[in-house]
């Protein structure tokens, strides 16, 4: 890809500008909070800062010169007046001479005073055979401080490093605010933890690049800066942008408008006559405003494949060199030699990128910029509005996507198509037209291959928590019309079961069951409340009478409450399911456990179906099922928080990982759990918890998200594997060698997905590539049969 910097300043001019700016900072007494700066441009510079050293060569750096600290080298600076214990930021550039997965520990910044220490280093754990980057403040007594590291995200961060590449390191801390914290920003990786630290003053020096003979940095260090305040403010996207702009690393929230010096534009020699153009990306690959297409991805024809009776997302992207105003993007019927797929079976949406308060269940200190909402019209003002569960944005269904595209930015779109059962195999083509108000329209073609087989229905339970209420005034109230749209949406995304929350009258319960039944959901229907009336009603509609026990009974008191509720439910003729850790589920199976001392023997069946959590022992159990050291002997699903805006999580856990565990299905949390304003992830509500929204509420119904569509793709991965297994079992009777070879191919591609956290290191594009291999094997086996 040929690219060029948006800035017209040559490198030398930029460097001179930076140098002059820093010189001014010194002249003004570091008025911007910078209290120490070392360029490492010369030994004279180090001397002027009071440095003590031995054996350190000055080498070419990231900016000017840098210092090399390898075996036997030593470098330190006086710490007095150069460090603020209460709050601060340390910023430097690092060029390791080692790969990130090497089996050594390397120190970059270190001081110790009595029991207290302050350290920045790359650690290697021999017991876990894992390397990770660490910022730690601690004491050797019981007044331990805290640590942030890349540990939980390895091997996809530090362990991917290659020698002789520059990395930007920033650590920050603030012990003056009520929620004291320390944090790490490493290139585009951020991590913060709330932490306290009690210290006994400062030592005389800080060591740079060494902590004893066995922990040398073995790296180049450049542009060391220390500030007397934390440059990153809690939950503040603007401070995050200010912190990273100008570091020559493109962050996904940076564009030529908010940080031109870090951004690129498409080379003017690539398709020079095109004001705007189209480019492809792997399904669910994140495309941001600042994304520049690779030349080989620019195309006027997109090719996709889809099975009959499958929903499939068709992603495409637009990059524009000019401002595009009031853009309509629409598409025609998919027409082929064997007929057509009417566009009424499909819809088109534009993907909205925005800042969220992390991607986990709880609010993160560091805002995260993510693609999430799938909108018909992304010009509607959604952010900075005082929405609540009863006052929601207007999101009417359109037969086109509507947007604006600023010059030198990209935007992603998705067509979601449903292929009916009766469509014949073959190629079906559609024309997609982009029609801006201020420039001529342009079109491209989508060729959709309808595969010569129908996807099997998997023998799994796909259940979801659905809090929506038909009565009351709580945040969960949705009314009948929106509830009906939610059930349809859940069914269309591959789920066959649902857990419904309580209502204030029996009529509402019956309305809920009727709607679920009308949409053809034939899996488990669970209620969080129980009565003889509900048991009878469920049986009349053809459902097993499952009721939810005490949620997460993961301590003795709640476990006893769950046992008592189980007794009551069983006496009503119902069955019991709940979310629980593996440890406490095992205790319920142990008749000799002391938890049963206060109960009669009739209480010894307190859990007919266990929805297991990804607790440490749960993860160990899932892994043992995969490697064959354990056998599942009860009805079991597992759950996780599906609102996380990383599509890899849902696709992995709903698909290939589930297949390998051979559990009965999934039962994740939750379809929608609104806390105050669903469109403001930073509002103060319910402590540190975020809104749990795999879809967002609107007046017209659910607004889908990237993570929701990825969940459906994971369920479809199971359907593809189920279809492959059917053909494999049939071929095994007539051509066992072909069946064996096919099974070896499938096992090989699935091997990489055999751990819970494999999604961290597997790119989202890999799932698509492995889906294609499964398709090849299905076709091969079907022809043989």
């Amino acid at each position: 890809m040929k690219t060029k910097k948006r800035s017209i300043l040559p490198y030398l001019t930029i460097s001179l500008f930076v140098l002059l700016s820093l010189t001014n900072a010194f002249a003004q007494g570091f008025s911007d909070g910078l209290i120490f700066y070392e360029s490492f441009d010369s030994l004279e510079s180090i001397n002027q800062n009071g440095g003590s050293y031995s054996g350190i060569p000055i080498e070419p750096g990231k900016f000017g010169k840098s210092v090399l600290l390898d075996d036997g080298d030593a470098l330190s600076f006086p710490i007095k007046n150069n460090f603020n214990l209460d709050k601060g930021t340390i910023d430097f550039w690092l060029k390791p001479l080692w790969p990130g997965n090497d089996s050594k520990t390397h120190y970059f910044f270190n001081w110790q005073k009595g029991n207290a220490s302050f350290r920045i280093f790359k650690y290697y754990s021999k017991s876990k055979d894992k390397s990770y980057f660490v910022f730690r403040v601690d004491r050797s007594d019981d007044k331990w401080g805290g640590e942030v590291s890349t540990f939980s995200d390895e091997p996809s961060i530090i362990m991917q490093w290659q020698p002789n590449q520059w990395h930007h390191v920033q650590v920050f801390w603030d012990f003056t605010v009520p929620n004291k914290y320390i944090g790490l920003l490493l290139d585009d990786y951020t991590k913060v933890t709330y932490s306290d630290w009690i210290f006994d003053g400062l030592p005389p020096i800080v060591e740079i690049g060494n902590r004893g003979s066995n922990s040398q940095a073995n790296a180049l260090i450049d542009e060391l800066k220390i500030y007397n305040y934390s440059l990153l403010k809690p939950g503040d996207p603007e401070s995050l942008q200010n912190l990273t702009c100008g570091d020559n690393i493109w962050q996904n929230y940076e564009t030529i408008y908010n940080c031109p010096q870090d951004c690129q534009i498409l080379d003017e020699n690539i398709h020079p006559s095109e004001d705007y153009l189209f480019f492809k990306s792997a399904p669910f690959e994140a495309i941001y405003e600042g994304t520049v297409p690779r030349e080989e991805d620019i195309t006027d024809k997109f090719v996709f494949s889809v099975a009959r009776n499958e929903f499939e997302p068709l992603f495409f992207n637009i990059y524009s060199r000019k401002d595009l105003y009031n853009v309509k993007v629409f598409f025609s019927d998919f027409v082929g030699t064997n007929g057509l797929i009417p566009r009424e079976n499909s819809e088109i949406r534009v993907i909205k990128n925005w800042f969220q308060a992390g991607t986990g269940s709880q609010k993160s200190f560091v805002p995260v910029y993510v693609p999430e909402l799938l909108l018909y019209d992304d010009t509607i003002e959604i952010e900075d509005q005082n929405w609540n569960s009863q006052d929601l944005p207007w999101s009417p269904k359109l037969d086109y996507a509507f947007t604006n595209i600023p010059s030198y930015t990209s935007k992603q779109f998705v067509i979601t198509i449903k292929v009916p059962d009766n469509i014949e195999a073959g190629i079906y083509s559609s024309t997609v037209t982009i029609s801006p108000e201020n420039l001529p329209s342009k079109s491209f073609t989508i060729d959709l291959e309808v595969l010569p087989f129908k996807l099997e229905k998997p023998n799994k339970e796909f259940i979801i928590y659905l809090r929506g209420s038909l009565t009351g005034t709580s945040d969960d109230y949705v009314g009948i019309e929106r509830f009906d749209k939610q059930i349809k949406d859940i069914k269309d995304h591959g789920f066959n079961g649902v857990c419904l929350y309580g209502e204030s009258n029996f009529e509402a319960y019956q309305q809920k069951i009727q709607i679920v039944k009308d949409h053809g959901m034939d899996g488990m229907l669970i209620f969080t409340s129980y009565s003889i009336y509900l048991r009878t009603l469920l049986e009349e509609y053809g459902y097993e009478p499952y009721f939810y026990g005490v949620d997460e009974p993961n301590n003795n008191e709640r476990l006893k409450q769950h046992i008592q509720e189980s007794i009551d439910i069983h006496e009503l003729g119902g069955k019991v399911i709940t979310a629980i850790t593996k440890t406490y589920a095992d205790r319920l199976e142990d008749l000799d456990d002391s938890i049963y001392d206060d109960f009669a023997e009739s209480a010894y069946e307190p859990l007919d179906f266990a929805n297991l959590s990804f607790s440490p022992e749960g993860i160990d159990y899932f892994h043992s099922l995969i490697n064959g050291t354990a056998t599942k002997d009860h009805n079991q699903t597992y759950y996780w928080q599906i609102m996380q805006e990383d599509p890899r999580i849902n696709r992995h856990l709903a698909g290939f990982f589930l297949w390998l565990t051979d559990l009965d299905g999934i039962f994740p949390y939750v379809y929608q759990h609104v806390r105050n304003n669903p469109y403001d992830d930073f509002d103060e509500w319910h402590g540190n918890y975020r809104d749990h929204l795999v879809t967002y509420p609107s007046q017209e119904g659910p607004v889908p998200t990237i993570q929701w569509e990825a969940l459906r793709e994971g369920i479809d991965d199971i359907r593809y594997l189920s279809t492959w297994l059917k053909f494999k079992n049939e071929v095994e009777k007539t051509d066992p060698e072909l069946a064996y070879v096919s099974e070896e191919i499938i096992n090989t591609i699935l091997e990489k997905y055999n751990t819970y956290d494999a999604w961290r290191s597997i790119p989202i594009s890999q799932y698509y590539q492995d889906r294609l291999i499964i398709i090849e094997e299905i076709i091969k086996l079907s022809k043989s049969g």
Side-chain angles (χ1 to χ4, degrees):
M1 177 183 69
K2 296 178 181 178
T3 58
K4 67 176 184 180
K5 290 285 184 180
R6 176 67 173 169
S7 174
I8 62 172
L9 292 173
Y11 175 81
L12 183 59
T13 306
I14 294 175
S15 300
L16 181 59
F17 176 79
V18 171
L19 182 58
L20 289 173
S21 298
L22 292 172
T23 302
N24 288 336
F26 277 96
Q28 296 167 12
F30 304 126
S31 59
D32 61 350
L34 183 66
I35 56 175
F36 180 82
Y37 168 65
E38 176 53 68
S39 67
F40 298 113
D41 283 343
S42 65
L43 292 177
E44 180 182 1
S45 174
I46 295 173
N47 289 328
Q48 289 177 349
N49 274 318
S52 297
Y53 53 87
S54 64
I56 57 169
I58 301 298
E59 303 280 352
K62 177 68 176 177
F63 305 97
K65 301 292 186 178
S66 63
V67 62
L68 173 60
L69 291 147
D70 55 9
D71 294 341
D73 294 345
L75 174 63
S76 64
F77 290 99
I79 206 167
K80 185 177 181 181
N81 300 323
N82 293 331
F83 196 91
N84 185 346
L85 281 167
D86 294 323
K87 54 186 176 180
T89 300
I90 296 175
D91 181 315
F92 61 93
W93 285 84
L94 176 70
K95 183 179 181 179
L97 305 184
W98 33 264
N101 62 354
D102 80 335
S103 57
K104 291 185 178 180
T105 294
H106 302 279
Y107 272 80
F108 316 116
F109 193 98
N110 172 65
W111 65 255
Q112 187 161 344
K113 168 72 172 177
N115 288 321
S117 63
F118 184 105
R119 298 168 183 171
I120 304 171
F121 58 104
K122 192 278 284 186
Y123 183 70
Y124 172 72
S125 169
K126 185 176 181 180
S127 62
K128 299 184 181 297
D129 190 25
K130 179 184 284 192
S131 288
Y132 50 99
F133 203 94
V134 183
F135 168 39
R136 177 186 294 169
V137 293
D138 62 358
R139 292 172 61 96
S140 58
D141 55 20
D142 60 352
K143 299 173 182 177
W144 190 84
E147 172 180 301
V148 284
S149 79
T150 64
F151 178 84
S152 62
D153 295 301
E154 297 298 352
S156 60
I157 311 299
I158 298 302
M159 295 178 72
Q160 298 298 313
W161 281 12
Q162 298 301 314
N164 300 308
Q165 295 178 348
W166 284 104
H167 299 279
H168 195 189
V169 181
Q170 294 163 296
V171 303
F172 36 87
W173 64 96
D174 194 335
F175 302 115
T176 67
V177 293
N179 293 321
K180 303 174 177 65
Y181 63 86
I182 62 174
L184 166 69
L185 197 158
L186 186 63
D187 296 334
D188 60 355
Y189 177 88
T190 53
K191 192 73 172 286
V192 175
T193 185
Y194 292 100
S195 168
D196 201 354
W197 190 36
I198 299 175
F199 42 82
D200 299 321
L202 286 166
I205 62 169
V206 56
E207 294 178 290
I208 308 297
N210 61 282
R211 182 179 180 248
S213 58
N214 296 322
S215 300
Q216 294 287 337
N218 197 20
L220 296 168
I221 295 178
D222 197 6
E223 294 293 309
L224 173 62
K225 304 172 190 174
I226 303 178
Y227 296 82
N228 64 5
Y229 68 101
S230 174
L231 298 179
L232 185 63
K233 303 297 183 293
D236 181 4
E238 184 175 352
S239 75
L240 180 62
Q241 293 181 71
N242 293 339
L243 185 63
T244 61
C245 185
D247 61 5
N248 279 28
I249 298 174
W250 174 69
Q251 309 283 347
N252 55 29
Y253 45 80
E254 292 179 338
T255 69
I256 64 167
Y257 300 104
N258 60 24
C259 191
Q261 58 267 52
D262 290 351
C263 298
Q264 298 176 327
I265 64 173
L266 187 66
D267 192 292
E268 60 187 13
N269 295 314
I270 298 176
H271 297 272
S273 62
E274 304 292 337
D275 290 333
Y276 58 98
L277 39 81
F278 318 117
F279 67 99
K280 61 185 177 182
S281 57
F284 297 98
E285 179 183 345
I287 300 296
Y288 302 99
E289 291 86 346
T291 298
V292 178
R294 298 184 303 175
E295 185 172 8
E296 60 267 31
D297 290 335
I298 297 171
T299 184
D300 287 331
K301 178 173 284 191
F302 292 74
V303 179
F304 301 94
S305 60
V306 62
R308 287 173 290 192
N309 76 334
E310 180 189 8
F311 286 87
E312 184 69 9
L314 316 177
F315 290 88
F316 64 91
N317 314 290
I318 299 174
Y319 177 83
S320 183
R321 289 182 166 113
K322 292 187 177 180
D323 293 327
L324 303 183
Y325 300 116
N326 297 330
V327 183
K328 288 185 178 180
V329 184
F330 50 91
F331 62 101
S332 66
D333 294 335
F334 285 80
V335 180
T337 56
N338 298 320
L340 64 82
I341 305 172
R343 68 174 316 285
E344 286 73 20
N345 284 37
S346 312
E347 65 176 19
I348 183 170
R349 294 179 184 252
V350 57
I351 298 172
K352 178 179 177 60
N353 303 321
W354 61 351
F355 278 103
Q356 293 288 275
T359 56
S361 61
Q362 294 190 334
K363 291 181 181 178
S364 166
F365 179 99
V366 182
V368 179
Y369 196 67
V370 290
E372 185 176 23
L373 297 181
L374 276 58
L375 303 171
Y376 294 116
D377 180 355
D378 72 349
T379 68
I380 296 174
E381 293 186 9
I382 291 181
E383 297 173 88
D384 301 322
Q385 306 292 315
N386 294 321
W387 308 115
N388 57 60
S389 61
Q390 309 308 315
D391 182 14
L392 294 168
W394 181 60
S395 181
K397 181 176 175 61
L398 303 174
D399 59 3
Y400 54 86
F402 189 78
T403 189
N404 296 307
I405 306 178
S407 58
Y408 300 109
T409 66
S410 294
K411 190 154 286 194
Q412 187 170 50
F413 301 80
V414 60
I415 295 173
T416 305
I417 186 167
K418 169 67 183 298
V419 178
D421 290 354
N422 60 353
I423 294 294
E424 293 188 36
I427 303 297
Y428 296 78
S429 298
S430 172
T431 299
V432 180
T433 302
I434 289 79
S435 181
E437 183 180 79
N438 59 316
L439 287 174
S441 298
K442 288 178 61 177
S443 299
F444 65 85
T445 300
I446 291 180
D447 284 348
L448 184 68
E449 179 189 11
V450 176
L451 300 168
F453 56 84
K454 177 181 175 180
L455 289 183
E456 290 295 307
K457 182 179 179 180
N459 184 26
K460 299 285 185 185
E461 293 288 346
F462 295 105
I463 316 161
I464 192 169
Y465 292 83
L466 181 62
R467 300 178 63 95
S469 172
L470 305 186
T471 58
T473 59
S474 71
D475 283 343
D476 295 326
Y477 175 78
V478 295
I480 291 179
E481 183 177 352
R482 280 172 53 201
F483 181 82
D484 181 77
K485 290 180 178 178
Q486 288 183 346
I487 292 295
K488 181 182 185 304
D489 187 45
I490 289 169
K491 175 67 163 52
D492 287 346
H493 279 76
F495 287 85
N496 59 0
V498 65
C499 178
L500 301 177
Y501 283 59
E503 295 287 349
S504 61
N505 60 66
F506 290 138
E507 180 184 4
Y509 283 114
Q510 184 168 10
Q511 288 173 322
K512 278 187 167 181
I513 298 177
Q514 184 67 59
I515 290 171
V516 171
K517 188 73 173 180
D518 288 346
H519 283 287
M521 298 189 72
D522 56 2
M524 293 175 66
L525 178 52
I526 305 158
F527 278 108
T528 57
S529 55
Y530 56 91
S531 68
I532 189 67
Y533 169 81
L534 286 177
R535 190 216 76 196
T536 304
L537 198 59
L538 284 166
E539 291 176 337
E540 286 178 356
Y541 278 88
Y543 294 100
E544 285 192 273
Y546 269 100
F547 298 100
Y548 202 77
V550 172
D551 185 43
E552 297 185 331
N554 300 325
N555 59 48
N556 283 352
E557 181 180 353
R558 291 182 66 81
L559 200 63
K560 289 181 179 180
Q561 292 173 359
H562 174 77
I563 293 172
Q564 184 58 59
E565 282 202 16
S566 298
I567 294 172
D568 298 339
I569 290 171
H570 285 137
E571 286 180 352
L572 293 174
K575 295 184 176 181
V576 182
I577 184 172
T578 195
I580 192 170
T581 66
K582 184 66 168 60
T583 295
Y584 281 90
D586 288 345
R587 289 188 63 183
L588 291 178
E589 296 296 328
D590 182 4
L591 303 184
D592 295 325
D593 193 285
S594 60
I595 201 73
Y596 287 113
D597 290 350
D598 298 330
F599 297 96
E601 289 189 6
S602 60
Y604 289 170
E605 293 292 335
L607 195 60
D608 301 290
F609 209 119
N611 189 28
L612 300 176
S613 73
F614 279 100
S615 56
E617 71 275 14
I619 292 172
D620 289 342
Y621 171 62
F622 304 144
H623 290 168
S624 68
L625 291 175
I626 293 173
N627 64 34
T629 58
T631 302
K632 179 181 72 69
D633 55 3
H634 288 85
N635 294 324
Q636 294 169 340
T637 55
Y638 56 66
Y639 71 97
W640 71 100
Q641 312 296 323
I642 55 174
M643 38 69 73
Q644 301 174 78
E645 297 91 341
D646 188 329
R648 298 174 301 172
I649 301 173
N650 286 348
R651 182 152 191 182
H652 180 68
L653 297 181
F656 294 143
F657 185 73
L658 172 62
W659 178 268
L660 292 170
T661 65
D662 198 33
L663 286 176
D664 295 295
I666 60 172
F667 185 1
Y669 189 85
V670 56
Y671 187 74
Q672 289 179 4
H673 187 174
V674 176
R675 294 184 170 101
N676 202 17
N677 183 349
Y679 291 88
D680 183 358
D681 217 30
F682 301 95
D683 59 357
E684 294 295 331
W685 186 254
H686 206 78
N688 200 37
Y689 283 96
R690 304 169 60 211
D691 297 285
H692 281 49
L693 300 168
V694 74
T695 67
Y696 281 68
S698 76
Q699 293 182 35
E700 286 71 33
V703 177
T705 64
I706 283 291
Q707 58 266 31
W708 184 225
E709 299 309 302
L711 186 59
R712 173 161 56 189
E713 285 298 285
I715 294 174
D716 282 346
D717 287 337
I718 294 288
R719 297 177 69 201
Y720 273 95
L721 286 168
S722 298
T723 306
W724 165 80
L725 184 61
K726 173 198 168 189
F727 283 112
K728 194 269 294 186
N729 290 339
E730 291 176 356
V731 169
E732 213 161 27
K733 301 171 186 176
T734 58
D735 192 344
E737 178 63 22
L738 178 62
Y740 172 80
V741 170
S742 182
E743 187 169 14
E744 287 294 297
I745 291 172
I746 296 300
N747 288 342
T748 298
I749 68 168
L750 293 182
E751 185 176 1
K752 68 179 78 70
Y753 302 101
N754 65 359
T755 60
Y756 153 72
D757 60 351
W759 61 268
R760 297 184 186 276
S761 57
I762 299 175
I764 192 64
S765 59
Q766 187 64 53
Y767 294 82
Y768 173 71
Q769 295 299 325
D770 290 336
R771 167 82 69 86
L772 294 179
I773 296 174
I774 296 170
I775 289 172
E776 289 178 3
E777 291 305 304
I778 293 172
I779 293 174
K780 185 192 306 179
L781 294 172
S782 65
K783 287 180 178 178
S784 173

